[in-house]
Amino acid sequence: MLLTGAEILLECLIKEGVEVVFGYPGGAILPTYDAMTKYPQIRHVLVRHEQGASHMADGFARASGKVGVCIATSGPGATNLVTGLATAMMDSVGIVAITGQVARGSIGTDAFQETDVTGVTLPVTKHNYLVMSAAEIPLVVEEAFHIARSGRPGPVLIDIPKDVQIEKAEFLGYPTGKLRLPGYKVPDSAEDNDIVEAIRLIQEAERPLILAGHGLIMSHATQQLQELAELAGIPVTLTLLGKGAMSEHHPLCIGMMGMHGNAASNHAIQEADLLIALGMRFDDRVTGNIKTYSPNSRKIHVDIDPSEINKNVKVDIGIVGDLRTVLTQMLPLVPRKQHPEWVRRIRDWQEDGSERDILTHYDGTALLGAQVINDLWKFTDGNAVTVTDVGQHQMLEAQYYPHQRPASMLTSGGLGTMGFGFPAAIGAKFAKPDEEVWAIVGDGGFQMTLAELATARQENVDVKIAILNNGFLGMVRQWQEIFYEQRYHATPMVNPDFCKLAEAYGIPSMRVTSRDQIKDSVEFARSIKGPVLIEYVILKEEMVYPMVPAGADLDKMIRRPKLGEKQP
Ligand SMILES: Cc1ncc(C[n+]2csc(CCOP(=O)(O)OP(=O)(O)O)c2C)c(N)n1
């Protein structure tokens, strides 16, 4: 069948099972947009900024476990995707970005809207391609999707010159049957010796702790995680992206670790005699000072990416493999054990944490972000898919919205991309149309990508937007308060009237200023099938505790005082 390059591309996407793409047209990608008119099976969501498209593809991928697709024109269209690609790269999210490029003969001439996009995106993609003939497209698409989703997932970019989209070639079907990537090995099972050694360490440990990361969710190994923890009586602490890997209601799950994690988790890491790190990468936000990190523990690290082993933290046993396969190998050998004394010690730290919890002793009248999140949890039955932006509200979500199932909390952890939350929530809703999806955003980050309100309206995306409006770039204000002697430079914000803004976009809204309105706000949001914006006006000076100052020892946390104690 003789087809244009654009038609071949769309045929391949359909055969890949792609049903929705997020994008924005322009000259160099126009042949592909024109060809879309012949392929109504693919829904195109017109964003308002290409960054939004990349985050939507990312949110779609995180929520569905499938590859998300975004599309943009050459030059500025493509460079606008870069933040989204870097975000997906840092959090190991499989997306495919398709960009138009100037025609082959113009490449290298500084033609109108020419950018060396494969060059620009090289460090922020798992792989990228410049396609130089229409006949190559099927194999490139096949490779791109395979690379994006397999092993440690990541973003892949395909740059297609305009004349390649127009050129005709024989389309011989998809998949091509030619997929061969000799240099690309996807690890699967572990060496038997390593499993035996790991079991020996588990057998010997008196204070073992599992560090559960995003890898468990991506490899669908959460059931195996729970079995391992229950069999050997090992408490589990979660990374930010690991939230959902184990139900936070499970008695062995002690919640998040790291800079704003639970004090109990951080103390447990420092006191453990065995760390079992599963699908996590010892990011500096979870280790604190690497030199003093968990000084007395032996360490087992399981990850699908060999470059993660011994990268930040030296380990005793490094196992490279798919977590589901590796844990399945381990489970029959895991000793049945309990560690009552260790668990009791952790409980003591947890009780101390509860006594410092602001929810238990706050008597001010201004609404707290912590109260908003806690009530959103309560009134959404703890069962919503939440997608956060970056800042204090993100950490409050992690602390006050316990999750029970994988892929129900989506957030930009590695890159910490403000502007991610709202568009990623739109993408997540496309992935999970039957689930209640809430974007939880700060007033700062929301303004970075609020143009997507128009997208939400045009596509009638049933996404609930909760803005925690403190009139500040809150997390930066917090750093200024603690580390910069309260010089609040460039953090107070004059904001628009968010409800009027929603109205301008034709989106229903509500402003909440006191705690007793939160239940109504959730009911109001749920009563509307389509986008809804709720503005929660919260205390300007709220602090998120505990806090491990950047680079400090993990257990040297700044804590909120107990009732009756003095402020730190
Ligand atoms: C694109 C980008 N720019 C800057 C930052 C640095 N930063 C981290 S948190 C933060 C403040 C966020 O403020 P807001 O969105 O209002 O959320 P809040 O912390 O108040 O909940 C800033 C500026 C970032 N993470 N991302």
Side-chain angles (χ1 to χ4, degrees):
M1 203 175 12
L2 206 59
L3 296 178
T4 66
E7 289 164 346
I8 293 174
L9 171 68
L10 295 169
E11 291 277 350
C12 296
L13 294 184
I14 288 166
K15 296 255 162 53
E16 270 296 340
V18 175
E19 289 170 0
V20 58
V21 302
F22 306 94
Y24 205 87
I29 195 73
L30 214 41
T32 296
Y33 270 78
D34 189 51
M36 281 182 200
T37 57
K38 294 188 208 149
Y39 296 93
Q41 308 93 306
I42 298 186
R43 179 167 175 184
H44 179 268
V45 175
L46 177 66
V47 299
R48 295 301 184 271
H49 186 294
E50 291 86 351
Q51 181 183 351
S54 57
H55 294 325
M56 286 180 208
D58 179 317
F60 178 90
R62 292 186 204 228
S64 65
K66 298 182 194 159
V67 174
V69 181
C70 56
I71 183 162
T73 193
S74 65
T79 57
N80 276 348
L81 295 177
V82 170
T83 300
L85 293 170
T87 305
M89 185 72 180
M90 287 289 265
D91 288 348
S92 312
V93 180
I95 64 176
V96 168
I98 296 160
T99 48
Q101 181 54 277
V102 299
R104 282 168 290 189
S106 303
I107 290 177
T109 67
D110 291 339
F112 178 64
Q113 294 192 328
E114 181 188 1
T115 302
D116 172 9
V117 173
T118 43
V120 168
T121 61
L122 190 66
V124 294
T125 49
K126 186 173 171 186
H127 197 51
N128 66 23
Y129 297 87
L130 173 61
V131 183
M132 290 304 272
S133 74
E136 282 175 56
I137 290 175
L139 186 55
V140 167
V141 172
E142 195 176 346
E143 284 184 13
F145 276 80
H146 175 67
I147 292 170
R149 75 162 72 89
S150 60
R152 178 180 185 168
V156 179
L157 180 132
I158 308 176
D159 198 27
I160 315 180
K162 186 170 186 176
D163 57 333
V164 172
Q165 297 167 49
I166 296 166
E167 174 183 81
K168 289 201 165 156
E170 195 66 35
F171 178 53
L172 301 168
Y174 188 94
T176 61
K178 293 187 185 145
L179 189 69
R180 311 252 185 291
L181 293 167
Y184 179 69
K185 302 247 181 315
V186 177
D188 187 31
S189 57
E191 305 275 334
D192 287 343
N193 288 350
D194 288 339
I195 297 279
V196 170
E197 265 302 282
I199 296 292
R200 189 175 64 79
L201 297 198
I202 293 173
Q203 180 73 54
E204 289 172 6
E206 287 170 7
R207 299 184 308 282
L209 184 67
I210 293 173
L211 312 180
H214 194 196
L216 286 159
I217 295 173
M218 288 188 290
S219 70
H220 305 283
T222 55
Q223 183 56 40
Q224 287 75 6
L225 164 69
Q226 186 169 326
E227 281 173 35
L228 168 65
E230 286 173 353
L231 264 175
I234 308 179
V236 177
T237 172
L238 309 168
T239 67
L240 176 63
L241 293 191
K243 269 181 76 83
M246 186 167 183
S247 167
E248 289 176 73
H249 302 306
H250 192 289
L252 282 169
C253 185
I254 62 171
M256 191 171 73
M257 65 181 96
M259 183 175 272
H260 292 291
N262 302 319
S265 299
N266 292 341
H267 283 303
I269 289 171
Q270 292 306 82
E271 297 288 317
D273 68 353
L274 176 67
L275 293 186
I276 307 168
L278 304 177
M280 56 83 74
R281 61 185 178 84
F282 295 108
D283 173 87
D284 54 277
R285 285 295 189 263
V286 306
T287 60
N289 182 359
I290 205 93
K291 294 204 181 83
T292 56
Y293 181 69
S294 192
N296 302 317
S297 63
R298 297 202 273 191
K299 299 175 183 75
I300 302 169
H301 188 186
V302 187
D303 201 281
I304 199 155
D305 182 352
S307 71
E308 286 300 342
I309 309 289
N310 290 325
K311 184 180 85 179
N312 294 336
V313 169
K314 300 279 170 277
V315 297
D316 298 85
I317 302 176
I319 298 180
V320 177
D322 171 66
L323 270 162
R324 193 182 160 108
T325 311
V326 173
L327 292 183
T328 305
Q329 282 176 279
M330 279 172 82
L331 280 174
L333 307 173
V334 172
R336 210 170 263 286
K337 286 187 81 175
Q338 297 292 327
H339 304 279
E341 216 163 289
W342 175 227
V343 168
R344 208 168 309 123
R345 223 157 133 209
I346 294 175
R347 290 273 171 275
D348 287 345
W349 285 317
Q350 286 177 316
E351 268 164 36
D352 177 75
S354 305
E355 289 174 43
R356 295 165 191 276
D357 186 342
I358 194 161
L359 288 187
T360 60
H361 56 73
Y362 176 70
D363 57 5
T365 49
L367 189 56
L368 293 179
Q371 293 171 327
V372 173
I373 302 289
N374 201 238
D375 288 4
L376 283 177
W377 167 72
K378 199 160 38 176
F379 299 126
T380 58
D381 315 306
N383 208 25
V385 174
T386 63
V387 188
T388 82
D389 211 76
V390 171
Q392 289 182 312
H393 63 279
Q394 175 191 35
M395 294 300 123
L396 292 171
E397 202 291 344
Q399 295 181 350
Y400 290 101
Y401 198 117
H403 285 263
Q404 304 167 60
R405 60 200 170 104
S408 61
M409 194 278 203
L410 314 181
T411 194
S412 166
L415 200 66
T417 308
M418 285 173 71
F420 169 85
F422 174 43
I426 294 177
K429 184 67 192 179
F430 275 94
K432 295 204 166 155
D434 300 329
E435 297 202 22
E436 182 173 359
V437 177
W438 281 78
I440 297 178
V441 298
D443 45 329
F446 180 62
Q447 290 186 70
M448 286 199 171
T449 46
L450 67 72
E452 305 309 338
L453 283 170
T455 310
R457 178 69 289 158
Q458 183 164 347
E459 301 286 336
N460 198 34
V461 187
D462 188 9
V463 60
K464 319 300 178 197
I465 307 158
I467 304 179
L468 272 61
N469 182 3
N470 51 16
F472 266 106
L473 295 171
M475 187 55 95
V476 180
R477 194 207 68 82
Q478 171 160 343
W479 283 53
Q480 290 172 327
E481 177 166 340
I482 302 176
F483 306 116
Y484 294 89
E485 295 166 341
Q486 304 173 16
R487 288 185 294 278
Y488 301 127
H489 180 57
T491 45
M493 278 192 302
V494 175
N495 285 327
D497 179 327
F498 288 111
C499 292
K500 278 198 183 148
L501 189 74
E503 193 189 333
Y505 283 96
I507 292 176
S509 66
M510 179 173 169
R511 177 171 296 123
V512 171
T513 53
S514 69
R515 194 170 187 185
D516 56 11
Q517 295 170 289
I518 297 178
K519 187 164 192 264
D520 284 352
S521 73
V522 174
E523 278 168 13
F524 169 68
R526 283 178 154 183
S527 71
I528 289 157
K529 281 267 153 287
V532 183
L533 182 152
I534 316 281
E535 179 194 4
Y536 297 95
V537 181
I538 59 168
L539 182 71
K540 285 182 181 301
E541 298 88 8
E542 188 169 347
M543 301 289 278
V544 181
Y545 293 122
M547 179 177 192
V548 183
D553 300 349
L554 192 58
D555 51 1
K556 301 284 181 303
M557 290 165 270
I558 306 174
R559 306 291 305 275
R560 179 178 285 110
K562 293 184 192 179
L563 198 58
E565 283 180 359
K566 269 182 57 182
Q567 274 304 113

